Amino acid sequence: TKVMGKGELDGIVLNTTGIALTDRVVPDSGLRVGDVLIVTGTIGDHGLAVMAKRHGLALEGDLLSDVAPINRMIASALRAGGEGVVALKDPTRGGLSSALHEMAGKSRVGILLDETAVPVTEAVRAAADLLGIDPLHVANEGKVVMGVRPDRAEAVLAAVRAHPLGRDAALVGTCIADSPRR
């Protein structure tokens, strides 16, 4: 579905639904203490590209949306990680920060994020700094956050990086025993 404010629509909105079969459903709530978190690429690309276009912002650099079909990259990660891939979430509304917060709350763990490890392009970083926006809170469309058991993390990360859409993937955090409200 698409939520739009009054007067925002000046044409037609098309909605599609995908149906698929899977051997295993990976929820966004399967994390436990010690699990690691992988993001499949740079963050903030989509949200800042859309914002710049909508508001006619003349920003330097290549702000490009990250919209992409990620099914093959995720299938590769699932093959490499097997049952060790325990949580998946798309960081759309609210960005990476919101996705991690939701995953932690549902799994009843804390998350220690290594912010220096989070991949952000120079164009996104510059635009976000100029606009006073934290890239961690900006929407993404072609990225996934994965919770992975530590013994499978390197294999999953290698599989994601082997795909053209995952070349900037990074291990960005660890699940800790902390208050799920923090």
Side-chain angles (χ1 to χ4, degrees):
T1 62
K2 180 72 175 165
V3 177
M4 300 179 77
K6 185 175 182 176
E8 288 183 350
L9 178 63
D10 63 354
I12 186 171
V13 174
L14 298 176
N15 186 30
T16 60
T17 300
I19 299 174
L21 301 174
T22 185
D23 296 328
R24 173 171 82 100
V25 174
V26 181
D28 61 355
S29 59
L31 299 173
R32 66 181 184 208
V33 173
D35 288 345
V36 297
L37 297 153
I38 295 172
V39 65
T40 62
T42 58
I43 65 159
D45 304 295
H46 177 75
L48 282 169
V50 170
M51 183 184 302
K53 182 70 172 171
R54 278 187 183 161
H55 298 289
L57 304 176
L59 300 173
E60 291 185 22
D62 291 328
L63 288 175
L64 300 172
S65 173
D66 62 355
V67 172
I70 57 174
N71 54 320
R72 288 195 171 108
M73 178 178 58
I74 300 307
S76 178
L78 291 172
R79 278 191 303 277
E83 297 293 319
V85 177
V86 296
L88 295 171
K89 185 145 185 84
D90 63 322
T92 50
R93 292 188 186 266
L96 180 62
S97 175
S98 179
L100 292 173
H101 180 77
E102 289 178 28
M103 292 170 80
K106 289 178 180 179
S107 301
R108 306 195 61 71
V109 298
I111 290 179
L112 182 61
L113 182 68
D114 179 359
E115 198 169 342
T116 62
V118 177
V120 181
T121 67
E122 285 304 316
V124 166
R125 190 173 308 283
D129 285 347
L130 180 70
L131 298 170
I133 298 171
D134 186 338
L136 293 174
H137 300 286
V138 177
N140 305 272
E141 286 292 337
K143 304 297 186 312
V144 173
V145 182
M146 299 180 184
V148 181
R149 300 286 189 245
D151 63 329
R152 302 304 308 151
E154 288 303 319
V156 171
L157 189 58
V160 172
R161 285 181 175 163
H163 190 280
L165 296 174
R167 67 183 174 274
D168 295 317
L171 195 151
V172 297
T174 305
C175 296
I176 58 174
D178 196 0
S179 168
R181 300 279 182 222
R182 293 176 64 189

